[in-house]
Amino acid sequence: MDKIQSLTGMLDLYDDGDMTNTSSRLFEVERVVKDIFLNYKFQEIRTPILEDASLYKRSVGDSSDIVNKEIYSFNDRNDKTIAMRPEGTASVIRSIVEKKLDQENHKLWYMGPMWRYERPQKGRYRQFTQAGIEILGIPEGLPEYEMVSVVCSIINKFKLKNCCIKINHLGTRQNKASFCKALVDFLEPYKKDLNEKDIERLQKNPLRVLDSKNSETQTILKNAPSIKEFIDKASIQMLNSIKNEFSDLCKIEIDFNLVRGLDYYSGFVFEAISSELGAQDSFLGGGRYDQLSTQLGGKDMPSIGMAIGLERLANIVNPTKQNRKLVSFIIAASNLEPKAYKIAHHLRSLNKDVVLDISLSEGSLKSKMRKANKNNADFAIILGEEELKNKSVVIKPLKDELKEQQAVSIDDLYSFYKAL
Ligand code: HAM
């Protein structure tokens, strides 16, 4: 019989409790990122992971790699084509437009799994986790600063080294169109030197050629027109102002070649990259997408947002040791479990900073003690028949050899535990 295995590019993650693997780091990263979002007064939005597939054609765009070849989709029993979400922004706008909330301003955050049928490699998975924020209904200006401020908070909170925020401005719709035309005119004579992928990009979304990983294309592009010549002075001023304001917090670079892989962007765009990540070096990205609401049938709702790739962020944060105390509650005789569980329940409610691990399986006192030591517990609480008769327990320090174990009353155990 064939062995059933996990799907390519989809990870099983296990928590080893000490921040040395991805699951423990993800847990910590999710907690801290959520805290930062709440600190900026973003409100949570949860949307379904399945959407009508046409949502992504109309938002992320026909010319994006995502819609072209990466969408996970299937036909449901009614023959409707359903997609597993490849990102969160389209769903957020779909929801706000559908609920007719598109006349108000919103600051929203979300977190959850996304799917893209990409070629897996380090830092690139087919199922990955994003945490995103969207500021809806406010035109270009202040929200750009708020976005960069959040990015700086994330970088500083995790004390990330070797990273940089790249910013660019794609101009207005007209600016973007004129630049695209100039780029196409420039590249036309070199078409024969471009690879198939870049020719396709040139036809569908010329801006994406700037993103090419092909070295010959990049050599050709050295003399190409720059977006800088097509955008307003005010846009360049804004880039400079953001750089000036935040450069003491994080490294910020204006990169006129920065384009994003999704079609809905116009105006300010940005990415944060880390040299510790290898080829997939961008751990977050976003930008302004003022037309998306009207594209999805809603009111004019200028908006900006970003999403963090949490696995990538988790890979560059420094593991911090858990400093919560661990106590192992050892039941040293059979039939004492109900009593022990009741005591443990009370202990947990007395001190939420301590982790209390109670033995769930049968075994000798010796093997349970071995396990407590292996888990690096600070103390063992031992409850045996003799102790219970005397309404007492034994507290055994496991890390300090000079300290003796002691038998204490249950009430004293509660006081001891509370003070840990
Ligand atoms: P994105 O650049 O496609 O933007 O994705 C954001 C982040 O998700 C990337 O910077 C990366 O860290 C992570 N990511 C993307 N694909 C993968 C993958 N296959 N494996 C692991 N991580 C990945 C968006 O999704 C936009 N919705 C962001 C946005 C929000 N723009 C405006 N609002």
Side-chain angles (χ1 to χ4, degrees):
M1 223 198 308
D2 282 346
K3 244 212 260 150
I4 298 177
Q5 292 181 318
S6 67
L7 299 176
T8 308
M10 308 219 177
L11 307 175
D12 292 318
L13 300 172
Y14 292 85
D15 180 11
D16 62 5
D18 69 356
M19 290 283 284
T20 56
N21 74 2
T22 317
S23 165
S24 328
R25 284 167 185 239
L26 257 186
F27 184 84
E28 180 64 4
V29 161
E30 284 172 0
R31 188 185 65 76
V32 172
V33 164
K34 204 187 289 181
D35 236 36
I36 293 175
F37 291 167
L38 295 178
N39 190 242
Y40 280 76
K41 193 84 178 77
F42 284 89
Q43 287 181 304
E44 189 181 17
I45 176 167
R46 292 191 194 211
T47 57
I49 59 167
L50 299 181
E51 294 276 2
D52 184 330
S54 49
L55 170 65
Y56 300 108
K57 282 205 171 109
R58 280 171 61 183
S59 56
V60 173
D62 265 356
S63 72
S64 67
D65 287 348
I66 296 181
V67 167
N68 266 325
K69 47 182 193 273
E70 294 172 2
I71 286 266
Y72 274 88
S73 62
F74 60 92
N75 282 10
D76 71 6
R77 284 161 210 265
N78 271 332
D79 234 15
K80 192 178 178 61
T81 311
I82 307 292
M84 296 178 73
R85 63 179 181 196
E87 57 101 56
T89 313
S91 302
V92 169
I93 303 301
R94 193 267 309 133
S95 172
I96 292 289
V97 168
E98 192 179 331
K99 305 283 174 314
K100 299 196 175 18
L101 296 169
D102 46 355
Q103 270 178 324
E104 298 155 36
N105 300 340
H106 304 275
K107 282 176 70 174
L108 303 171
W109 72 269
Y110 51 88
M111 199 180 275
M114 310 286 160
W115 291 266
R116 297 183 191 176
Y117 195 86
E118 297 200 72
R119 203 161 37 81
Q121 64 179 93
K122 185 170 175 273
R124 189 162 71 189
Y125 315 105
R126 290 187 177 167
Q127 177 174 321
F128 56 98
T129 323
Q130 276 190 350
I133 47 175
E134 315 288 348
I135 301 181
L136 311 181
I138 308 177
E140 178 170 294
L142 301 181
E144 274 70 6
Y145 289 84
E146 177 101 321
M147 281 289 145
V148 176
S149 165
V150 173
V151 180
C152 289
S153 293
I154 290 166
I155 291 175
N156 291 336
K157 182 78 195 174
F158 289 109
K159 299 191 175 72
L160 300 182
K161 303 251 160 45
N162 309 316
C163 64
C164 166
I165 308 173
K166 291 194 168 186
I167 57 175
N168 191 16
H169 202 293
L170 303 177
T172 59
R173 251 176 142 177
Q174 290 85 342
N175 298 155
K176 196 171 149 184
S178 317
F179 174 59
C180 284
K181 182 168 180 321
L183 198 60
V184 172
D185 291 346
F186 170 83
L187 287 170
E188 207 51 53
Y190 297 100
K191 224 168 161 180
K192 57 181 184 334
D193 306 317
L194 299 179
N195 64 18
E196 216 177 293
K197 192 169 178 186
D198 289 337
I199 292 175
E200 195 188 318
R201 285 174 161 178
L202 187 63
Q203 281 155 357
K204 290 189 167 168
N205 182 356
L207 275 190
R208 295 274 291 127
V209 182
L210 299 179
D211 229 8
S212 171
K213 298 272 182 285
N214 186 287
S215 57
E216 275 177 45
T217 309
Q218 282 305 334
T219 313
I220 296 169
L221 285 171
K222 283 207 172 108
N223 298 316
S226 163
I227 188 101
K228 194 178 169 187
E229 298 145 29
F230 292 81
I231 54 178
D232 303 339
K233 259 196 184 148
S235 307
I236 299 196
Q237 264 165 13
M238 190 178 76
L239 292 176
N240 285 325
S241 160
I242 288 177
K243 186 174 168 174
N244 289 343
E245 288 306 327
F246 291 101
S247 278
D248 59 330
L249 297 175
C250 291
K251 188 170 171 214
I252 299 189
E253 231 173 60
I254 300 174
D255 177 355
F256 289 110
N257 281 332
L258 175 71
V259 286
R260 306 265 305 123
L262 299 88
D263 287 0
Y264 50 59
Y265 293 110
S266 57
F268 182 70
V269 289
F270 58 98
E271 278 182 8
I273 57 164
S274 163
S275 57
E276 291 170 21
L277 280 171
Q280 301 303 315
D281 60 356
S282 151
F283 61 93
L284 66 83
R288 186 159 275 285
Y289 53 94
D290 286 349
Q291 280 85 43
L292 188 52
S293 172
T294 49
Q295 263 164 248
L296 294 179
K299 303 244 162 37
D300 182 32
M301 187 174 58
S303 302
I304 186 171
M306 68 163 201
I308 310 162
L310 292 180
E311 286 80 2
R312 291 189 193 170
L313 179 58
N315 279 334
I316 49 173
V317 300
N318 286 318
T320 47
K321 271 258 164 250
Q322 295 259 14
N323 51 9
R324 293 173 79 184
K325 287 213 167 73
L326 173 65
V327 173
S328 280
F329 197 140
I330 293 172
I331 308 168
S334 47
N335 304 326
L336 292 183
E337 285 85 355
K339 265 269 170 279
Y341 274 86
K342 191 68 191 294
I343 296 171
H345 182 89
H346 191 56
L347 287 172
R348 286 185 176 118
S349 71
L350 286 174
N351 189 342
K352 300 217 164 56
D353 291 333
V354 176
V355 178
L356 182 65
D357 183 28
I358 188 162
S359 53
L360 288 169
S361 52
E362 302 272 305
S364 65
L365 173 62
K366 209 167 150 195
S367 73
K368 286 177 181 171
M369 283 303 296
R370 215 181 299 126
K371 190 169 164 228
N373 279 309
K374 194 171 153 229
N375 286 344
N376 212 12
D378 295 275
F379 294 92
I381 297 170
I382 305 160
L383 179 69
E385 257 164 57
E386 210 39 50
E387 283 86 16
L388 196 64
K389 256 189 237 154
N390 306 327
K391 290 201 169 41
S392 70
V393 295
V394 170
I395 299 174
K396 187 174 168 62
L398 299 180
K399 287 200 180 148
D400 191 343
E401 278 165 14
L402 297 177
K403 280 197 185 148
E404 300 265 303
Q405 68 177 48
Q406 47 175 327
V408 298
S409 70
I410 305 277
D411 280 343
D412 285 348
L413 169 69
Y414 291 152
S415 310
F416 163 84
Y417 195 89
K418 209 170 162 181
L420 274 177

